[in-house]
Amino acid sequence: MTTNDSGDRGDRHGPRRPATIIVHAGRDPRANHGFVNPPVYRGSTVLFPTVAALKSYDQPYTYGRRGTPTVTALADAIRQLEGGDKTVLTASGLEAVTLSLLAFVESGDHILVTDSVYQPTRRFCDNMLQRLGVETTYYDPLAGADIARLIRPNTRVVFTESPGSQTFEMQDIPAIAQVTQQRGVWLVMDNTWATPLYFDALAHGVDVSVHAATKYIVGHADAMLGAVTANARAARHIERAKDALGLCPGSEETYLGLRGLRTLDVRLERHQAQALDIARWLEARPEVASVLHPGLPSHPQHTIWRRDFTGASGLFSIVLKPVSDAAVAAMLDGLELFGMGFSWGGYESLVIPFDARAYRTATTWAPAGPTLRFHIGLDHVDDLKADLAAGFDRLNATKA
Ligand SMILES: *Cc1c(COP(=O)(O)O)cnc(C)c1O
């Protein structure tokens, strides 16, 4: 099993490993009377000492929306982890996604978006971008270098998400990056699943890496937050669009992101180990047709995951053998440790039924049976298995 121990980003950060960066980045105890953590700056107005300072904006902070020391602390920590030129924070992951698209497009442009994309991203493209005169073509997540065939003279962005957060196709990001770089197209990636620790997006040719920090960075299901990290070429576009749109994260949420980030490495290790353990256990269950987890050798793009990623987080899906809706409901309704609800990345275990057949347009998603998505939390793995085993008993009893 690979872990992020091999994710040494020493070329960009000196000898420091990501685990060390998350402990130290964005933190200066001496500037805060020795306290380990920075305070939460709440603020709109920032005062200037003189007319000259006010007219020249000549101070680090000028207005709450444009940043506070708390925002700088988290943004800088994420920027260091991602090896980026600039990180901006937003009030949600979806805001980070929409910013990363609005920064690059104008009326008459065309974008390519993976068919496996997070559904609200798809809705933004189909509704808002379409109204603004920007056309979206969805592409097969397995396209790789063949994406070149879909690029038009007015194509501005290729938007990837790898793996897809319901169906878990892995994309060949370096192959796509080679095409986008040759053709002068921006490559944006929703990198939420891997977090900045398990996929080094910018080093693999991505221009802009987007995170729903709501998930693993916050890590406790108690705040909404987004992060967009850009390389040097893209930074100016992201910053300008963020200012123009007036996006900014809340003070408390930003602090919760900073607090969550400090334990990201140890939490992910546990999420990773337990999710793989349960994925293997599910693979051996007679009720399960297939397990969609990129870290399993049975995953069709396992080699891409092994080549490019340094770990796996706690989210994956399964396809059940054909069974009635009532049997699936009997299994899920009685679970005691798994909650049912959207989002993921917190310490708690979750499960949802989903139907990806409904929204695909470029590819056909034809699972053998009902599909479930699991988030494996930090509960003891044996207790989670027992909860699921009891669920399969209810499923089988209902089926009969
Ligand atoms: C949750 C999620 C988002 C959106 O994040 P919010 O903070 O819920 O707005 C974007 N992309 C992916 C892959 C997600 O899972």
Side-chain angles (χ1 to χ4, degrees):
M1 186 58 246
T2 51
T3 74
N4 74 315
D5 286 340
S6 57
D8 181 355
R9 297 178 189 183
D11 51 335
R12 286 171 298 128
H13 309 290
R16 298 265 163 84
R17 272 85 172 163
T20 305
I21 295 172
I22 69 170
V23 171
H24 292 275
R27 210 157 63 71
D28 181 7
R30 275 164 307 173
N32 299 309
H33 310 285
F35 284 94
V36 169
N37 291 295
V40 181
Y41 282 82
R42 300 181 188 83
S44 52
T45 300
V46 180
L47 302 178
F48 296 82
T50 62
V51 170
L54 185 136
K55 285 189 172 165
S56 64
Y57 282 85
D58 186 21
Q59 57 188 36
Y61 298 97
T62 56
Y63 187 54
R65 181 182 356 96
R66 309 199 68 229
T68 68
T70 317
V71 169
T72 302
L74 179 57
D76 194 53
I78 294 175
R79 183 194 61 73
Q80 285 188 44
L81 285 174
E82 297 249 63
D85 203 65
K86 178 77 190 176
T87 296
V88 305
L89 302 181
T90 58
S92 74
L94 186 58
E95 227 176 69
V97 165
T98 60
L99 167 63
S100 75
L101 287 167
L102 286 171
F104 299 113
V105 294
E106 59 190 40
S107 179
D109 284 349
H110 171 248
I111 63 171
L112 289 166
V113 176
T114 177
D115 208 24
S116 54
V117 79
Y118 177 66
Q119 272 189 79
T121 302
R122 181 182 282 266
R123 279 198 291 274
F124 174 73
C125 296
D126 293 347
N127 301 322
M128 184 73 76
L129 286 187
Q130 152 126 13
R131 274 208 289 129
L132 297 176
V134 177
E135 186 187 350
T136 302
T137 301
Y138 294 97
Y139 68 87
D140 183 342
L142 307 185
D146 282 348
I147 195 108
R149 287 195 261 149
L150 298 171
I151 291 180
R152 307 175 188 170
N154 63 339
T155 304
R156 293 288 167 262
V157 176
V158 172
F159 189 98
T160 66
E161 182 183 318
S162 184
S165 61
Q166 285 194 328
T167 47
F168 293 91
E169 298 91 338
M170 294 295 300
Q171 298 189 44
D172 192 336
I173 298 293
I176 294 173
Q178 205 176 1
V179 172
T180 55
Q181 280 163 14
Q182 263 167 19
R183 305 287 292 269
V185 173
W186 298 104
L187 181 55
V188 179
M189 177 171 179
D190 185 331
N191 194 22
T192 301
W193 182 82
T195 85
L197 291 183
Y198 288 168
F199 183 60
D200 200 349
L202 271 55
H204 285 83
V206 169
D207 296 302
V208 176
S209 171
V210 175
H211 288 278
T214 305
K215 309 289 165 58
Y216 285 112
I217 292 176
V218 166
H220 295 73
D222 52 4
M224 307 293 298
L225 204 63
V228 181
T229 302
N231 63 16
R233 220 160 55 88
R236 178 171 56 90
H237 298 266
I238 295 293
E239 269 189 289
R240 265 202 217 143
K242 182 242 180 217
D243 277 347
L245 291 163
L247 306 181
C248 67
S251 322
E252 299 293 339
E253 285 77 4
T254 303
Y255 185 83
L256 290 169
L258 207 44
R259 179 169 165 144
L261 184 75
R262 302 300 180 202
T263 57
L264 180 63
D265 190 49
V266 287
R267 283 187 288 111
L268 276 178
E269 268 182 34
R270 180 73 75 88
H271 286 295
Q272 164 166 257
Q274 303 204 146
L276 271 165
D277 186 343
I278 291 184
R280 287 192 201 100
W281 179 82
L282 286 165
E283 227 173 8
R285 289 287 314 193
E287 299 86 353
V288 175
S290 57
V291 178
L292 312 176
H293 186 309
L296 293 179
S298 61
H299 189 281
Q301 296 92 44
H302 177 65
T303 50
I304 291 182
W305 175 80
R306 279 191 75 97
R307 184 192 64 192
D308 296 343
F309 284 50
T310 54
S313 60
L315 191 79
F316 65 91
S317 293
I318 65 170
V319 180
L320 291 168
K321 289 180 182 162
V323 68
S324 69
D325 288 350
V328 174
M331 175 182 180
L332 300 189
D333 287 350
L335 291 173
E336 291 177 358
L337 302 181
F338 284 84
M340 273 187 285
F342 298 101
S343 203
W344 41 279
Y347 55 82
E348 80 284 15
S349 297
L350 298 168
V351 61
I352 48 164
F354 68 95
D355 185 0
R357 288 173 307 180
Y359 59 82
R360 292 274 178 142
T361 53
T363 51
T364 307
W365 168 253
T371 42
L372 305 177
R373 187 183 73 180
F374 290 99
H375 179 252
I376 305 304
L378 305 179
D379 334 46
H380 195 286
V381 70
D382 293 341
D383 292 333
L384 292 177
K385 284 180 191 168
D387 199 25
L388 292 174
F392 282 122
D393 289 345
R394 286 189 301 276
L395 177 139
N396 290 321
T398 309
K399 192 170 63 176

